[in-house]
Amino acid sequence: MDSIFHEKQEGSLCAQHCLNNLLQGEYFTPVDLSSIAHQLDEEERMRMAEGGMASEEYRTFLQVISNALSVWGLELILFNSREYQSLMINPINEKAFICNYKEHWFTIRKLGQQWFNLNSLLTGPELISDTYLALFLAQLQQEVTEQLIS
């Protein structure tokens, strides 16, 4: 396997690092993501002008990340969504996960036959086992649910 691309945290650019670590290269800059966010703002303004309902916060990092991935023909499906649950997919059979924990975005990615935590706050890629992947995702989902409740 070639070397693993791991972009480390700079400032508050975790969405950029998350995407670049997922795609394994320097594909997105802050300007690129800002442009996507601006486009989402424009679309929201047009909907509001047409009498559509305004959302409290339309332009979220999740929407920016989703739009950024669509440039590469990739689709973001929320792990806890009905769509994902109905597919009954074993997480081990996926290729990657974009995670958010305490307002920080990071990537868990399968490279070759192994899983890696490519969190930009780590000093480098962290190898994780298939068993740990399932436990990690379950724990993350539980903690996020607890954050929403409290």
Side-chain angles (χ1 to χ4, degrees):
M1 178 181 351
D2 294 330
S3 66
I4 298 171
F5 179 86
H6 180 256
E7 192 171 82
K8 293 187 178 119
Q9 187 71 25
E10 284 183 25
S12 297
L13 303 174
C14 58
Q16 173 194 326
H17 306 311
C18 175
L19 286 165
N20 288 340
N21 286 340
L22 174 76
L23 297 170
Q24 289 294 285
E26 295 180 28
Y27 295 104
F28 289 101
T29 67
V31 173
D32 296 329
L33 297 181
S34 177
S35 175
I36 291 170
H38 179 72
Q39 180 183 352
L40 289 169
D41 280 345
E42 289 301 315
E43 290 171 6
E44 175 71 359
R45 274 192 274 284
M46 288 173 52
R47 271 194 295 283
M48 289 173 64
E50 295 169 356
M53 296 187 62
S55 59
E56 289 182 28
E57 183 154 333
Y58 177 79
R59 182 186 56 141
T60 64
F61 282 112
L62 185 60
Q63 289 164 314
V64 172
I65 288 171
S66 181
N67 282 32
L69 290 173
S70 71
V71 170
W72 291 88
L74 299 172
E75 181 183 9
L76 183 68
I77 300 174
L78 298 178
F79 187 70
N80 58 352
S81 70
R82 284 186 182 175
E83 180 182 5
Y84 186 85
Q85 299 303 323
S86 70
L87 296 173
M88 298 179 62
I89 297 172
N90 183 342
I92 294 167
N93 297 329
E94 295 296 314
K95 294 179 182 155
F97 293 92
I98 293 177
C99 305
N100 183 280
Y101 182 68
K102 296 186 178 181
E103 299 181 16
H104 175 71
W105 294 95
F106 61 98
T107 297
I108 305 293
R109 169 93 194 258
K110 187 180 235 180
L111 298 165
Q113 298 299 313
Q114 298 178 306
W115 284 95
F116 292 90
N117 183 344
L118 301 175
N119 189 333
S120 60
L121 295 176
L122 298 173
T123 58
E126 181 181 89
L127 178 66
I128 57 178
S129 69
D130 289 352
T131 302
Y132 182 71
L133 172 69
L135 295 171
F136 179 85
L137 292 172
Q139 178 70 28
L140 184 62
Q141 191 172 18
Q142 177 65 34
E143 289 183 24
V144 168
T145 301
E146 288 173 4
Q147 284 179 350
L148 294 174
I149 292 172
S150 48

